[in-house]
Amino acid sequence: MRRFGSAAFGWCVATLPLAALAATEAADEMVEVDAQHAEGMPQLDPDTFASQIFWLVVFFALLYWLVSRKILPAIEQILETRRRRIADDLDRAAALRAEAEEAYTRYESGLADAHAAAQARLAEVRERVQTEQAERQAKLDADLAARAKEAQQRIRAAREQALAGIDSVAVEAARAATSRLIGVDVGEDEARRAMQAVRGEAA
Amino acid sequence: MASPIEQFQVKPVLPFDVTFTNSAFAMAVAVGAAYLLFSRGMRDPGMIPSRIQSVCEMIYEFVRGIIDENVGREGRPYLPVVFTLFLFILFGNLLGMVPGFFTFTSHIIVTFTMAVVVVGSVTLIGIARHGTHFFSLFAPAGAPKFIYPILVPIEIISYLIRPISLSVRLAVNMTAGHIMLKSFAGFTVAMGVFGILPLVAAVGLTGLEIVIAILQAYVFTVLSCLYLNDAINLH
Amino acid sequence: MSEDDRKPDFGAFDARMARLKAAETGSDGKAGPEGEPKAATHAGLHIGIELVAGVIGGALLGYFLDAWLDTGPLWLIVMLVLGSAAGMLNAHRYIKRLDRERSDKSGTPKAG
């Protein structure tokens, strides 16, 4: 279509010299008519028509050539380059944005993971401390119980020993008392039996 | 046979006069100025345009906007022609604002030639695209059949006078403005001390004329695009 | 160092991105001119020229037809009438276009 546009334009330009020729002829015919108002507008002086048309065609064609070969390609190229550059920049910005978003989600999930790991470790330590403490407590309890039992045994033994000591003192005292009071010498075994009997009653 | 010395007679080769006039000189300067602007602006085009480069790009976007707005996508191939047209008229008009320079767009023959080329090219494009269907342009849809004998000739004439209105508008605007400016400038000189008043008016008019110079280049381009649109899109 | 400090603000970025994308495609589509400043005098001159062009065109056409067919002032008269009508038609079209553009400017922009 572009080619046709140029062709149509070219055709019209090509016919212009003919038009100029016709204008000149018309001008020749009108010369007498025009001579009467030569003082009129110079725009209406047909003598200048041919030259003006000729140079118009020349310079218009020159400008057309410059525009279509030099000016428009230069402008269109820089506009296209700029458009592409802007599109590229926008694309890159979009890519960077996606990257940033991904990094952010990665960071967030990493953070969550670390959080969970820390929590788990904390729970584990707490549990271990608790069991250790329980164990130590149990050992301490057992130790204390054993020591208490031992002490009790020692107390009992001491008491028995003491009691035994008291028995022999009492027997001695009883024999001495008996012999002093009633002059009967009581045997040691007898005195002991008697005392044990008395104590059993008392108990 | 004439005398043997007739062969030494100097006479024009071309069958018509091609004198390089002030009008032709103004055209040459306009083309040169347009090319200078764009070659300077586009010499080392940057991603971020320099001031002169953004002027060039603005003109480009402006013309492309005219085509997009009035013709649409199908008008894009004609951008070079339309761009040339706009630049040529714009620089012709603006150059005329420089004192002492000739305004070639004030000459009806120049604008008429351009208008004829535009309308002629557009007609050829329309016929090439739509064949004989193109002539349905002269038979408006929705009109009753019996007024066709009146309507169709009127439509045809309204089509034929397109180059006239197109060219007269540009030439009249340029001529009238410059006549006014020149008159006020003349008053300024003639009125001596009181010439300050027409001087102020002339300064204001100069601003107005620059606006009109740009506006008329725009109008010529827009109307050309509207005609192109008629030919391409047929209603 | 609260949780919000580290949270990247993608919302603002996305909004800016969408705006830039829109601008990018927008410049490729319609970058039309603001429209000619149609002062009343300009519109009036335009209409006047359409009418005058109709008369001039009709007169020229009639004149040449008469010269060609040697039919006296017949075609000149016919073409003057038809040319005036054609001029009015063009003026009418211009006014319609003006109206359309004006309503476009106040209403929604036209699609194509």
Side-chain angles (χ1 to χ4, degrees):
Chain A
M1 211 53 231
R2 188 187 197 120
R3 184 175 298 170
F4 178 73
S6 310
F9 172 65
W11 187 87
C12 284
V13 168
T15 55
L16 277 167
L18 296 177
L21 190 57
T24 325
E25 281 169 7
D28 287 343
E29 285 168 21
M30 290 185 199
V31 151
E32 308 94 65
V33 186
D34 204 65
Q36 295 163 4
H37 39 92
E39 286 291 299
M41 295 289 286
Q43 274 95 329
L44 301 176
D45 176 11
D47 285 346
T48 67
F49 285 4
S51 145
Q52 291 207 70
I53 290 174
F54 176 81
W55 291 110
L56 170 66
V57 172
V58 169
F59 287 116
F60 195 90
L62 175 65
L63 187 62
Y64 177 78
W65 184 80
L66 288 173
V67 163
S68 59
R69 288 292 146 87
K70 301 263 159 81
I71 295 174
L72 284 186
I75 295 180
E76 272 160 4
Q77 195 193 342
I78 186 67
L79 288 182
E80 176 61 20
T81 312
R82 187 177 303 144
R83 198 193 57 75
R84 208 175 305 137
R85 169 78 180 276
I86 289 171
D88 282 357
D89 281 359
L90 283 178
D91 284 353
R92 215 167 52 224
L96 284 174
R97 180 212 183 281
E99 215 170 276
E101 195 169 29
E102 198 201 310
Y104 176 67
T105 48
R106 217 165 45 221
Y107 155 78
E108 253 195 344
S109 73
L111 194 68
D113 284 355
H115 209 71
Q119 212 74 2
R121 184 136 174 73
L122 203 65
E124 187 198 328
V125 166
R126 191 182 295 138
E127 203 179 333
R128 211 176 59 222
V129 165
Q130 260 170 355
T131 52
E132 256 172 30
Q133 208 169 15
E135 266 170 29
R136 254 207 324 261
Q137 185 76 40
K139 219 166 86 189
L140 188 68
D141 281 355
D143 195 28
L144 282 178
R147 263 203 271 177
K149 207 164 154 195
E150 194 194 347
Q152 264 175 342
Q153 272 170 353
R154 231 178 21 242
I155 289 167
R156 194 178 307 144
R159 196 174 70 181
E160 263 161 24
Q161 206 182 344
L163 279 177
I166 286 172
D167 276 2
S168 63
V169 170
V171 168
E172 280 309 306
R175 275 172 69 191
T178 312
S179 69
R180 190 84 49 90
L181 287 170
I182 57 177
V184 179
D185 213 9
V186 181
E188 192 182 327
D189 292 343
E190 206 175 342
R192 186 174 301 264
R193 266 198 304 276
M195 200 199 62
Q196 271 172 354
V198 170
R199 200 169 59 195
E201 279 171 20
Chain B
M1 272 284 129
S3 73
I5 48 171
E6 203 201 280
Q7 55 178 317
F8 306 115
Q9 181 106 42
V10 174
K11 55 189 175 189
V13 176
L14 292 168
F16 50 87
D17 173 41
V18 290
T19 317
F20 193 85
T21 56
N22 54 354
S23 164
F25 178 68
M27 289 174 192
V29 174
V31 170
Y35 183 63
L36 193 70
L37 172 71
F38 280 91
S39 61
R40 281 293 293 278
M42 289 291 145
R43 178 183 295 161
D44 187 21
M47 210 44 88
I48 295 155
S50 63
R51 198 173 305 175
I52 184 164
Q53 187 189 340
S54 43
V55 169
C56 299
E57 287 178 11
M58 207 179 72
I59 296 175
Y60 172 83
E61 301 267 358
F62 184 73
V63 177
R64 208 182 58 179
I66 293 175
I67 292 184
D68 284 352
E69 193 110 316
N70 295 297
V71 189
R73 283 245 153 239
E74 304 224 44
R76 280 288 173 87
Y78 306 106
L79 180 63
V81 183
V82 176
F83 195 80
T84 309
L85 197 63
F86 180 72
L87 272 192
F88 195 71
I89 298 170
L90 180 70
F91 275 83
N93 289 354
L94 288 178
L95 204 65
M97 294 309 300
V98 179
F101 255 108
F102 184 81
T103 319
F104 62 82
T105 45
S106 69
H107 270 244
I108 185 74
I109 189 64
V110 173
T111 61
F112 186 69
T113 307
M114 288 194 289
V116 166
V117 172
V118 165
V119 175
S121 307
V122 160
T123 310
L124 287 178
I125 289 165
I127 292 173
R129 279 183 88 101
H130 302 287
T132 50
H133 190 63
F134 172 75
F135 297 103
S136 72
L137 198 64
F138 302 127
K145 285 269 185 287
F146 67 89
I147 59 165
Y148 270 16
I150 301 278
L151 204 56
V152 171
I154 291 177
E155 286 283 353
I156 291 173
I157 293 174
S158 84
Y159 191 89
L160 290 179
I161 61 177
R162 275 175 174 185
I164 298 177
S165 61
L166 193 58
S167 56
V168 166
R169 179 165 24 253
L170 179 55
V172 160
N173 269 288
M174 289 297 107
T175 306
H178 282 73
I179 287 177
M180 257 201 309
L181 266 183
K182 194 83 179 173
S183 308
F184 275 97
F187 290 155
T188 307
V189 176
M191 285 169 76
V193 183
F194 301 103
I196 193 79
L197 289 173
L199 183 66
V200 169
V203 169
L205 268 179
T206 306
L208 185 69
E209 276 305 296
I210 289 174
V211 172
I212 287 178
I214 298 169
L215 184 66
Q216 285 305 319
Y218 170 73
V219 167
F220 198 100
T221 314
V222 165
L223 287 173
S224 303
C225 285
L226 281 177
Y227 297 159
L228 184 63
N229 180 49
D230 276 353
I232 287 180
N233 297 319
L234 279 187
H235 299 304
Chain C
M1 197 176 84
S2 73
E3 193 77 9
D4 277 355
D5 284 344
R6 295 194 307 258
K7 195 160 180 83
D9 189 7
F10 285 124
F13 179 87
D14 286 349
R16 248 179 82 188
M17 190 84 167
R19 215 165 52 231
L20 287 171
K21 274 248 159 68
E24 188 204 359
T25 51
S27 71
D28 204 40
K30 279 254 158 83
E34 290 300 300
E36 57 199 290
K38 284 204 183 65
T41 50
H42 179 247
L45 189 61
H46 195 129
I47 291 165
I49 285 168
E50 290 291 0
L51 294 175
V52 170
V55 177
I56 295 175
L60 281 176
L61 219 59
Y63 177 81
F64 284 117
L65 273 175
D66 274 341
W68 180 41
L69 300 171
D70 204 18
T71 44
L74 174 67
W75 283 111
L76 183 65
I77 293 162
V78 171
M79 283 299 157
L80 263 177
V81 173
L82 287 181
S84 312
M88 285 177 208
L89 186 66
N90 281 347
H92 171 68
R93 287 210 178 107
Y94 171 71
I95 293 165
K96 267 207 313 207
R97 185 162 70 85
L98 215 61
D99 269 356
R100 205 170 52 239
E101 275 170 21
R102 208 160 272 166
S103 62
D104 278 347
K105 214 168 281 177
S106 56
T108 51
K110 69 174 172 179

